[in-house]
Each structure stands twice: as structure tokens, then as C-alpha cells.
Amino acid sequence: MDDFFSWLERSNLGETVRTTPLLYSSLESVHILGIALLVGPALAFDLRLLGVGRQMLPVTAAARHLLPLARFGLALAVATGVVMFISGAVAVGNSGAAPWKLGLLIVAGINVAVFHWGTYRGVNAWDIDIPTPKRARMAATVSILVWCGVIAAGRLLAYT
């Protein structure tokens, strides 16, 4: 893998990010904004699944307003994260936190897919005033824990 990581770093994109003043720090800022736009709305949606605001806010309304923001945040975070990775692929790829972050991102993706292709399809039966099904509450709990783990692992990339 080190050869591949070295090749990424030596690419035009890797060189540009490393050598252009303020580019990496600008990417980091947009990455953090993306994380905020992803995790904030996702956490709010997860809290609704866990019962917060059950009598006031239908799950479908929460999804309609929060999840597009989360998807936009994901797009920003992924795009900037990939570019930042390319610029320092050897160090990041060999970090002890890298497999954790990647693994948790995979778990997050699976959790979202299972929830939306499964439990959420029957949302009309439990949209408001009815306790959220156990599977949806489990998905919300996994989501909260996994996104906290992704953030922690991402921060640890700089130190391990």
C-alpha cells in the first residue's frame, strides 16, 4: 500500500494541495463545515427517531428538512476528505486511526442503507404519536455512536 500512497502524494493534485499556500487549511475548513452539516442534521433526525419531539414533529417532516442537509454535508466532507488524504496519503494511510475511520464510515453507510431500505419504508405507520419501532431506534443509536467515532478517529489521524 505504501507504493500506492506514495503515488497518490506525488500526483499533481497531491503536490498542488501541499504546495499551494492556504489550500490545505481551506480544505480543512470546508471539511469541518461538511462534517457539521452532516452530523448536526443526522443527530437531530436520530434524536427524533429516539422519541424527542414525537408529538410535535412527524418523522417524515424531520427527514424532509434534515436529510438533504446531511447529504450535502456528506458530499462536502467526502470531497474535501479525499483531496486532503491524497496530499498526505502515506502518513494518513499508515495512521492507526485510519482503519477505524474507514471502518466506521462503512458501518455508517450500511446503517443508513438498512434503515432507509427497511424500517423507514413503513414510516407512515409510526410517523407521529406512535413510539418509533425498535429497529429505527437501534439505527438511530448506531448512527449517533458511529458518527461520534468517525469524528474522534478523524481527529486522531493527526496524532497517530
Side-chain angles (χ1 to χ4, degrees):
M1 287 301 283
D2 279 345
D3 289 340
F4 177 68
F5 293 154
S6 294
W7 175 80
L8 283 175
E9 278 191 21
R10 288 189 313 270
S11 70
N12 287 336
L13 181 58
E15 291 287 336
T16 300
V17 171
R18 274 195 317 283
T19 59
T20 303
L22 301 177
L23 182 54
Y24 190 89
S25 60
S26 297
L27 287 168
E28 277 186 313
S29 296
V30 175
H31 190 68
I32 291 168
L33 176 63
I35 292 166
L37 287 172
L38 164 61
V39 177
L43 178 63
F45 183 71
D46 292 336
L47 290 173
R48 172 54 190 91
L49 291 177
L50 291 172
V52 175
R54 185 173 71 208
Q55 278 85 26
M56 296 181 294
L57 182 65
V59 173
T60 53
R64 185 173 52 255
H65 294 289
L66 295 170
L67 298 185
L69 285 172
R71 286 190 284 274
F72 179 70
L74 177 65
L76 280 179
V78 168
T80 54
V82 167
V83 174
M84 289 188 306
F85 172 76
I86 289 170
S87 73
V90 173
V92 173
N94 289 317
S95 168
W100 285 99
K101 183 171 182 177
L102 181 59
L104 289 168
L105 285 169
I106 290 168
V107 170
I110 291 169
N111 187 52
V112 166
V114 168
F115 172 75
H116 283 282
W117 292 336
T119 308
Y120 190 72
R121 287 187 175 204
V123 70
N124 291 333
W126 50 272
D127 199 16
I128 193 166
D129 286 335
I130 296 172
T132 307
K134 183 177 181 179
R135 283 184 158 171
R137 292 191 317 269
M138 287 174 46
T141 302
V142 168
S143 175
I144 291 167
L145 293 173
V146 166
W147 286 118
C148 288
V150 167
I151 291 169
R155 289 303 307 135
L156 288 172
L157 285 175
Y159 305 107
T160 60

